[in-house]
Amino acid sequence: MAGKHSLFGPVDPAADAGYEEDRPPRKGFFTDTSICIGCKACEVACKEWNDVPATHFDLLGSSYDNSFSLNANQWRHVAFIEQPKRMGEQESGLRRQAQEAAGQQAVDLGMPGMAPPGVMLPESGEDDAVDRPDFRWLMSSDVCKHCTHAACLDVCPTGSLFRSEFGTVVVQDDICNGCGYCVPACPYGVIERRKGPEGSKNVGIAQKCTLCYDRLGSGKTPACAQACPTQSIQFGDVEELRERANARVEQLHEAGIMDARLYGNDPEDGVGGTGAFFLLMDEPEVYGFPPDPVVTTKDLPEMFTRAGAAALVLLAGAALSFVGRRR
Amino acid sequence: MTTPGIEATPGSAGGRTRRRGGRRKGGGDRSMVPEATFTSYYGRPIVKPSPWENDIPIYLFAGGVAAGSSLIAAGADLTGRPTLRRSGRLGALAALTVSMVALVHDLGMPSRFLNMLRVAKLTSPMSVGTWILSIYGPFAGVAAAAEVVSMLPPRLRGGPLRLAAYADRPAGLLAGLFAPPVAAYTAVLLSDTATPSWHAAYKELPFVFVGSAAAASAGLGLITSPLEETGPVRRMALGGAVLELVMEQRMEHTMGITAEPLHHGKAGRLMKAAKALTVAGAAGSLLAGRSRVIAVGSGLALLAGSACTRFGVFEAGQESAKDPKYTVVPQRERLDRGEPIRFEKPAEPPVT
């Protein structure tokens, strides 16, 4: 509640929250989905470190992604997007080169194909276009965005959610009321009240990614970034990560992958930029992100003004009703 | 864990198309609006619906009745209408009790309400509301207690109960003064979320809610007071109902696609019932001065209409959060128009 920018616009969130000059630089994630392999190591590492309960037997039957979405029991979520789209110009050509170098022809190993029984697939090895599937996989590890203007934090009536010295947003589970107000407030649908499984800790309490606050405090890397085998999840100072992200997008554009774009890195967007931002290969909504999220508290001053006007109308209306005729 | 109907292929090439406005009755009504095309991740929700259940719309409704009743009681006190004053004060306390029980039930335990009082946060409508209730509640309680004392036979009104006579009017008037924010803040409570149909309604929802509160509490007054005292509440019932209906219409107009959930399913039925009941109640209030039966009937219709409005708006918001369409389409349309939400530096003040 400090300066005039508190509800919208580019600010250093930790400074805005009142941390002194000697605070550490803002920390965050840059998730480069172009190199995510969908191994879900981040999901597992997060659950292990943060003691997030598993939710068993959630086979959804719609895709290979069975962890559904970010929620109270899922602080990292790897989305598997199966698109009817070729891989673009991404052509490794490694196999043919290797075969030619060895002077070999491709040998059919009789592996099971993708077609229904009895249907012959075209011979492999003749043409790369045949080998190449006519769909592509996009994989993306989603996480709490640690917004510059965090609606969850702003609407929390107990002060359970707070801004850490690293500029991240953390829930104190011993203070949280379980009122659930932060849940609909989040424009990304990240935070949620834990529903179960029975017997696990903090049931009924709002839960989400803490950006491993406990690990940051001792100078360590968050568990998910530590576990990521491809460095798809990069952790560091937000300033530096933004530079790195811009360089990576340029690199991809030069390679002809014009679909590559950054999401959440712009400090002048609807949430003041996020602490965790992403390199995406398609529109944000493909990954289950809102295309142009806005922090709800941006409109809060006007909301209170309207409510104040409505309250006055009620007061005046009631007073008028009693004026005049006796009956 | 929820598993909604999942049929869509994610990805821009497999963009999914859904009808705007849903199924229409008859065949002749052609939609002139283009169908909303959008992409989503397996049709899974983007924003999360609030975890709130029926407690919250009950809380919204009861809070409105309490606020309106306190206003009526204050007015009745000043204009010498003892029965209306009594029913207003007791009604306010009863409704306040219902709303507090609903709130505490939603939170799980009473101590959690106290937990809310450890901070005062202007950015949190729930914190603001908690404080408004904490200021309003005691006055409404004292006014109701004084009312109860005045109903006791004189020989029991001795001792400390004599103080009631002094607290009576100030407490009642202060309760009336702090009542309007109680009725209005609940709209901000809903609007200050990313739930599409609640947020999009923020301009008009406070007026819908105060209109609804006025109509409902006036309805309670109509039921509980004799005809010769109900003049003001009949006017208030009519005014509240008209305000609610007009502002609801305007609200739907400004909400764009997010008004759709107000017309579908359970929310649609509730909103339709709310409109019918409120219109009936308002019409009844015109004749309620002649017959006690009409007064009671009209009062009941107004109360039920107000409850349906709260439940309908609540339900529509929940539905809007469950369908990614209402999150993606308005944002995508905004982007396609080339007006993404961006921070623009305020103009520099002129140097003097």
Side-chain angles (χ1 to χ4, degrees):
Chain A
M1 277 311 289
K4 56 178 186 284
H5 293 165
S6 291
L7 297 175
F8 194 56
V11 290
D12 178 344
D16 195 46
Y19 288 98
E20 301 293 331
E21 278 303 309
D22 57 348
R23 65 183 177 272
R26 184 177 183 186
K27 300 287 184 194
F29 289 125
F30 165 45
T31 307
D32 180 349
T33 71
S34 69
I35 51 173
C36 176
I37 56 171
C39 68
K40 298 212 176 207
C42 49
E43 284 188 12
V44 176
C46 173
K47 280 191 187 259
E48 284 285 340
W49 179 262
N50 293 301
D51 198 12
V52 177
T55 322
H56 297 288
F57 306 118
D58 267 347
L59 294 174
L60 299 174
S62 58
S63 80
Y64 290 113
D65 171 18
N66 285 317
S67 46
F68 197 77
S69 69
L70 285 180
N71 55 56
N73 293 348
Q74 196 72 45
W75 295 359
R76 266 273 176 194
H77 167 246
V78 180
F80 281 36
I81 296 120
E82 195 177 350
Q83 280 187 329
K85 212 176 193 182
R86 285 193 192 278
M87 282 296 279
E89 299 308 311
Q90 290 164 287
E91 176 57 70
S92 73
L94 282 176
R95 181 165 50 171
R96 181 176 289 177
Q97 278 171 15
Q99 283 168 358
E100 279 168 7
Q104 289 172 338
Q105 286 296 309
V107 178
D108 189 356
L109 293 176
M111 294 297 280
M114 293 297 280
V119 175
M120 291 295 289
L121 285 172
E123 277 293 306
S124 67
E126 297 293 317
D127 179 12
D128 269 358
V130 175
D131 282 355
R132 217 162 15 153
D134 59 356
F135 67 89
R136 67 172 182 178
W137 282 106
L138 297 178
M139 283 137 187
S140 158
S141 182
D142 193 7
V143 69
C144 169
K145 315 298 179 290
H146 295 280
C147 310
T148 303
H149 297 285
C152 59
L153 189 158
D154 281 341
V155 304
C156 174
T158 61
S160 157
L161 280 148
F162 75 102
R163 181 72 68 179
S164 81
E165 65 272 33
F166 302 104
T168 58
V169 180
V170 183
V171 189
Q172 304 170 82
D173 47 25
D174 53 343
I175 294 179
C176 173
N177 233 351
C179 73
Y181 200 13
C182 50
V183 179
C186 173
Y188 299 95
V190 171
I191 196 166
E192 194 192 33
R193 208 152 77 167
R194 183 170 283 166
K195 289 188 283 247
E198 230 158 279
S200 52
K201 63 170 188 177
N202 291 339
V203 171
I205 298 298
Q207 301 279 291
K208 71 168 193 71
C209 161
T210 66
L211 217 140
C212 283
Y213 187 43
D214 48 350
R215 292 173 68 95
L216 294 201
S218 51
K220 291 198 169 59
T221 302
C224 54
Q226 180 94 31
C228 179
T230 64
Q231 295 193 351
S232 166
I233 300 172
Q234 299 175 32
F235 163 78
D237 298 350
V238 169
E239 285 287 309
E240 193 216 321
L241 288 176
R242 283 188 181 144
E243 277 172 37
R244 235 190 273 176
N246 286 324
R248 174 68 180 157
V249 172
E250 236 164 74
Q251 194 185 14
L252 288 173
H253 283 181
E254 273 167 26
I257 303 167
M258 303 313 283
D259 282 343
R261 84 247 1 231
L262 292 178
Y263 177 77
N265 63 316
D266 179 359
E268 302 196 343
D269 68 11
V271 296
T274 52
F277 53 96
F278 300 80
L279 187 156
L280 303 179
M281 307 298 285
D282 204 336
E283 300 290 352
E285 54 266 39
V286 169
Y287 295 85
F289 290 136
D292 188 28
V294 186
V295 61
T296 180
T297 41
K298 173 179 181 283
D299 300 319
L300 189 61
E302 204 188 337
M303 287 179 197
F304 272 127
T305 311
R306 305 286 296 196
L312 286 177
V313 166
L314 178 61
L315 190 63
L320 277 178
S321 309
F322 279 92
V323 176
R325 281 169 297 170
R326 190 57 214 156
R327 273 205 63 185
Chain B
M1 183 136 277
T2 45
T3 310
I6 291 160
E7 77 278 3
T9 313
S12 49
R16 74 192 195 133
T17 309
R18 293 241 303 225
R19 282 193 64 85
R20 190 175 242 196
R23 191 165 297 164
R24 286 170 192 281
K25 268 183 266 176
D29 187 14
R30 267 187 309 140
S31 169
M32 300 308 283
V33 204
E35 290 182 347
T37 311
F38 75 107
T39 312
S40 74
Y41 182 61
Y42 298 104
R44 294 181 199 174
I46 290 180
V47 295
K48 289 209 166 11
S50 77
W52 302 329
E53 288 167 18
N54 288 340
D55 298 328
I56 295 300
I58 290 172
Y59 167 73
L60 302 177
F61 166 69
V65 173
S69 297
S70 281
L71 278 170
I72 291 172
D77 187 23
L78 291 175
T79 57
R81 293 178 165 89
T83 321
L84 190 60
R85 185 192 73 184
R86 177 171 300 166
S87 76
R89 286 180 176 176
L90 298 182
L93 184 63
L96 186 66
T97 310
V98 169
S99 82
M100 293 315 281
V101 168
L103 183 62
V104 167
H105 183 255
D106 176 67
L107 293 176
M109 52 182 99
S111 64
R112 286 184 169 169
F113 181 79
L114 297 177
N115 211 6
M116 309 253 255
L117 298 174
R118 61 187 287 282
V119 286
K121 252 172 99 172
L122 278 177
T123 58
S124 170
M126 196 180 279
S127 174
V128 172
T130 306
W131 284 102
I132 291 175
L133 275 177
S134 307
I135 296 167
Y136 159 78
F139 290 124
V142 169
E147 197 62 54
V148 173
V149 170
S150 74
M151 289 155 74
L152 294 173
R155 62 187 168 82
L156 290 179
R157 269 185 249 161
L161 291 185
R162 268 176 303 180
L163 286 174
Y166 299 103
D168 179 288
R169 178 162 283 187
L173 291 181
L174 284 169
L177 197 64
F178 289 115
V182 173
Y185 99 87
T186 48
V188 185
L189 187 72
L190 293 188
S191 293
D192 191 26
T193 59
T195 300
S197 293
W198 290 344
H199 188 88
Y202 79 87
K203 289 200 171 105
E204 294 86 8
L205 197 59
F207 295 95
V208 174
F209 275 14
V210 297
S212 177
S217 52
L220 187 64
L222 282 175
I223 295 171
T224 50
S225 301
L227 291 182
E228 60 273 16
E229 288 188 16
T230 55
V233 287
R234 291 201 303 272
R235 294 192 277 278
M236 195 163 150
L238 189 62
V242 169
L243 181 66
E244 180 188 338
L245 291 168
V246 168
M247 291 314 274
E248 210 273 329
Q249 210 61 37
R250 268 189 68 164
M251 177 177 95
E252 287 189 21
H253 197 71
T254 58
M255 280 169 74
I257 188 179
T258 57
E260 265 183 33
L262 287 165
H263 300 285
H264 295 314
K266 195 175 155 196
R269 289 194 295 277
L270 283 164
M271 291 311 283
K272 229 178 249 165
K275 201 170 281 178
L277 285 163
T278 307
V279 168
S285 74
L286 293 171
L287 308 169
R290 298 184 198 160
S291 143
R292 192 86 183 87
V293 178
I294 296 177
V296 170
S298 137
L300 285 174
L302 288 167
L303 279 166
S306 171
C308 284
T309 301
R310 311 304 172 116
F311 274 88
V313 169
F314 176 78
E315 196 63 38
Q318 296 289 77
E319 287 307 312
S320 74
K322 287 177 194 159
D323 190 336
K325 174 165 75 165
Y326 301 112
T327 304
V328 173
V329 172
Q331 293 185 16
R332 181 49 66 189
E333 284 174 351
R334 193 167 67 208
L335 284 173
D336 292 347
R337 283 197 304 270
E339 33 182 277
I341 299 273
R342 291 182 59 75
F343 175 80
E344 275 158 33
K345 272 209 182 77
E348 293 281 326
V351 185
T352 46

